[in-house]
Amino acid sequence: MDKNNIPIINPINGQTLYEIQEISVEQAKAVFQTAKTMETKIRQMSLEQRIAEVEKINQYVLEHGNFILDCIIAETGKSRTDAFAAEVFEVCDVIDVYKKLAPKLLKDKSVPIPIFLMGKKAQQWMEPLGTILVITPWNFPFYQVIVPALLAFLAGNAVVVKPSEVTPLVPLWNDFFVKSGFMKDAIQVVVGGKETGALLLAERPAKVHFTGSVRTGKKIGEACAKELIPVDLELGGKDPSIVFDDVNIDRTVNGVMWGAFTNAGQNCTGIERLYVQEGIYDKFIETLVDKTKKLKTSSIDRNTKVAEDCDVGAITSAFQVSIIEDHIEDAVAKGAKVLCGGIEQKGSHHIKPTILVDCNHSMKIAAEETFGPTLAIMKFKTEEEAIRLANDSPYGLSASVWSKDIERGKRVARQLVCGNVCINNHMINEANPYLPFGGVKDSGIGRFKGEEGVLTFCNHKSVIIDQQSNMIEPHWYPFTQSKYELLNNLMNAYFRKPKNWLKFAKNGLRIDTIGKKEQIK
Ligand code: NAD
């Protein structure tokens, strides 16, 4: 193997599927040249034409769902239902929603005029920015690529996407746009590693949409700041979930179990920290451990495929396996107890769902992003204590609160410092494209989806439309004492309480008269 090649590994059996390479400076330039040409073509299309293009992708996904799933699973080792629900189904949902939302969000909008600009018209036009560079992680390799790319395209932009070098899905993207009949080169997928990402960024895209780790997010943010390139950063998380002692234990255990272990915990919004109130603590943990032990985990014995009935898939990358092992070992060394799962075979990509109790925030498993099928559990007494513990994190992506008392749920949710929160469920905010998604603190900058899903890729152009006449504006030259006084009177007549409409009208008329007479000849 050439040392510059990046191998793409099937995590189920460790086999190399194929290799990719970093691109050259010339290739990066060629990509952006093509994008420049496409910018003009896309700008000339109507929104209806762009929606028709996006609809082609929808049809392709519906017709080739199984092929897409096979490609995703081969490189991620996900369970089929995880891949289906969070990647394939979700993509159709997003397309369906934005076909309805985009026409409302992208149409020219009339806005009111303040008193100072009386008589004029104001509008807001949503225009494309140019070429958007989308850089994506490996945990949802289809969804993370196609969703921002399609939304940026809907907003009228050309798109360049750099998927993760861990899961570049080359067999999928090779044919995807051609076979779907989608507009050629409107979205270019460029595979490669970090260097490729950096080379594409150096081509000065109009905006960067980055999803990935905090570490890389800071580097991307810095590079963008130097060139004044706008950037959205969708970064990591360490989601807390708070369970009060009035819950239905069975439902809540099932919800928490899914929230923690879906996608084998490789979720920016997976539950990683669980705070359970003391009244139900023992019963809750016993039920949770009991149910978790029944989950079917992927295994190397199943050869190249993840079984259809597998609940918890494999860990996609070897470096993530090392982090998960390190966090479990650190927790145990600091006094945590493993109630199920744990490290059975070092280096294995098949890690059983692991529940740890007696955890505290000095442990990596409760403080840093683990991104694996682990759940660090802690007991709490009061609402205040639960809120304090949940907020004790550099991350602020998402969280959940479980209680029969919805008012308490809302009260607690309002005090959690995070971008997204669920009451009696977890992380399904992400599944509602009508809602904005994003983080606070180290979890990122900017919002995606909801209205921002397309607006974030627009130049929000502000437009004032005025008439031609023989008058000039009161704030144009010449600046005279009389004009100044009239403007002052106008302001006081309008803003002081009660409003003095008579004085306002008189001064307004006098300003108009001066506007006709007092002009620089
Ligand atoms: P990563 O930061 O290592 O890589 C993300 C992407 O950045 C990859 O495509 C990589 O090639 C590219 N990259 C790395 N260095 C670069 C550079 N210097 N210039 C340009 N591009 C560069 O992240 P990852 O390990 O692939 O993904 C996991 C992380 O993503 C986790 O922290 C997870 O929480 C986060 N994530 C966040 C969200 C969200 O919406 N907030 C969603 C999914 C994943």
Side-chain angles (χ1 to χ4, degrees), residues 66-126:
N66 276 328
F67 171 64
I68 297 170
L69 285 174
D70 289 343
C71 292
I72 296 171
I73 293 165
E75 295 182 25
T76 61
K78 279 177 202 240
S79 80
R80 203 165 186 86
T81 308
D82 269 341
F84 171 72
E87 305 230 46
V88 173
F89 196 122
E90 276 293 292
V91 166
C92 294
D93 231 355
V94 168
I95 292 176
D96 184 50
V97 168
Y98 280 95
K99 278 191 308 196
K100 297 170 206 156
L101 273 184
K104 288 182 201 148
L105 295 170
L106 296 176
K107 71 171 185 220
D108 295 350
K109 206 166 64 183
S110 289
V111 301
I113 282 281
I115 202 70
F116 192 75
L117 297 183
M118 247 186 332
K120 301 163 202 344
K121 287 196 178 101
Q123 291 186 351
Q124 205 176 325
W125 298 345
M126 298 303 168

Side-chain angles (χ1 to χ4, degrees), residues 297-451:
T297 313
S298 66
S299 91
I300 197 152
D301 305 331
R302 296 180 189 206
N303 291 320
T304 53
K305 288 195 107 174
V306 185
E308 297 285 326
D309 64 350
C310 165
D311 296 303
V312 181
I315 304 307
T316 300
S317 73
F319 62 79
Q320 204 61 48
V321 170
S322 309
I323 294 172
I324 298 164
E325 287 174 352
D326 175 46
H327 285 197
I328 295 175
E329 282 165 359
D330 173 75
V332 171
K334 289 175 180 159
K337 255 202 249 86
V338 176
L339 296 188
C340 63
I343 308 162
E344 289 183 346
Q345 194 197 334
K346 271 249 182 178
S348 167
H349 285 243
H350 310 281
I351 301 179
K352 285 194 174 143
T354 301
I355 293 180
L356 300 105
V357 288
D358 299 339
C359 297
N360 61 60
H361 288 194
S362 75
M363 299 169 182
K364 292 181 189 175
I365 203 125
E368 297 173 19
E369 188 178 47
T370 309
F371 224 55
T374 61
L375 187 57
I377 305 184
M378 288 154 272
K379 197 190 284 186
F380 74 90
K381 281 193 174 74
T382 65
E383 196 174 305
E384 292 68 33
E385 186 189 4
I387 295 165
R388 182 178 51 74
L389 286 166
N391 285 338
D392 179 29
S393 169
Y395 293 101
L397 193 53
S398 123
S400 53
V401 186
W402 305 73
S403 172
K404 263 191 194 131
D405 179 350
I406 301 293
E407 282 315 306
R408 167 161 68 180
K410 288 204 235 170
R411 186 170 65 232
V412 172
R414 279 191 199 281
Q415 292 176 78
L416 297 179
V417 185
C418 57
N420 321 279
V421 67
C422 272
I423 296 167
N424 293 323
N425 215 311
H426 192 83
M427 96 173 104
I428 52 169
N429 315 57
E430 268 196 279
N432 184 354
Y434 289 102
L435 278 173
F437 180 81
V440 295
K441 300 200 272 184
D442 277 2
S443 291
I445 295 173
R447 286 293 177 273
F448 184 51
K449 296 205 279 191
E451 297 198 345

Side-chain angles (χ1 to χ4, degrees), residues 472-488:
I472 65 161
E473 298 286 315
H475 59 277
W476 289 359
Y477 302 124
F479 289 162
T480 61
Q481 185 62 25
S482 55
K483 229 199 240 184
Y484 179 81
E485 276 163 21
L486 284 171
L487 273 176
N488 220 325

Side-chain angles (χ1 to χ4, degrees), residues 174-400:
N174 265 350
D175 286 342
F176 187 82
F177 294 106
V178 178
K179 288 205 173 151
S180 63
F182 187 77
M183 187 180 185
K184 189 172 176 313
D185 289 335
I187 297 174
Q188 299 179 78
V189 177
V190 183
V191 299
K194 295 172 189 172
E195 282 173 35
T196 298
L199 286 178
L200 294 170
L201 190 52
E203 292 303 312
R204 296 200 90 258
K207 176 156 191 173
V208 175
H209 182 83
F210 174 81
T211 308
S213 64
V214 174
R215 190 174 28 85
T216 313
K218 285 185 178 172
K219 281 191 206 155
I220 302 273
E222 211 178 305
C224 287
K226 277 195 184 132
E227 297 296 330
L228 294 178
I229 299 170
V231 60
D232 288 333
L233 299 171
E234 300 276 350
L235 309 179
K238 186 76 189 171
D239 275 19
S241 189
I242 300 172
V243 176
F244 285 100
D245 58 12
D246 61 347
V247 296
N248 174 308
I249 291 190
D250 266 325
R251 180 185 196 278
T252 309
V253 162
N254 278 300
V256 165
M257 191 166 66
W258 174 81
F261 304 129
T262 187
N263 215 38
Q266 298 157 110
N267 250 318
C268 53
T269 51
I271 303 175
E272 297 209 356
R273 302 179 281 148
L274 180 68
Y275 303 98
V276 183
Q277 201 163 23
E278 58 181 0
I280 53 157
Y281 185 85
D282 292 339
K283 175 83 180 131
F284 192 91
I285 306 306
E286 190 193 323
T287 316
L288 180 61
V289 171
D290 225 37
K291 286 184 193 282
T292 302
K293 281 182 177 165
K294 292 178 185 146
L295 295 178
K296 292 193 195 88
T297 313
S298 66
S299 91
I300 197 152
D301 305 331
R302 296 180 189 206
N303 291 320
T304 53
K305 288 195 107 174
V306 185
E308 297 285 326
D309 64 350
C310 165
D311 296 303
V312 181
I315 304 307
T316 300
S317 73
F319 62 79
Q320 204 61 48
V321 170
S322 309
I323 294 172
I324 298 164
E325 287 174 352
D326 175 46
H327 285 197
I328 295 175
E329 282 165 359
D330 173 75
V332 171
K334 289 175 180 159
K337 255 202 249 86
V338 176
L339 296 188
C340 63
I343 308 162
E344 289 183 346
Q345 194 197 334
K346 271 249 182 178
S348 167
H349 285 243
H350 310 281
I351 301 179
K352 285 194 174 143
T354 301
I355 293 180
L356 300 105
V357 288
D358 299 339
C359 297
N360 61 60
H361 288 194
S362 75
M363 299 169 182
K364 292 181 189 175
I365 203 125
E368 297 173 19
E369 188 178 47
T370 309
F371 224 55
T374 61
L375 187 57
I377 305 184
M378 288 154 272
K379 197 190 284 186
F380 74 90
K381 281 193 174 74
T382 65
E383 196 174 305
E384 292 68 33
E385 186 189 4
I387 295 165
R388 182 178 51 74
L389 286 166
N391 285 338
D392 179 29
S393 169
Y395 293 101
L397 193 53
S398 123
S400 53

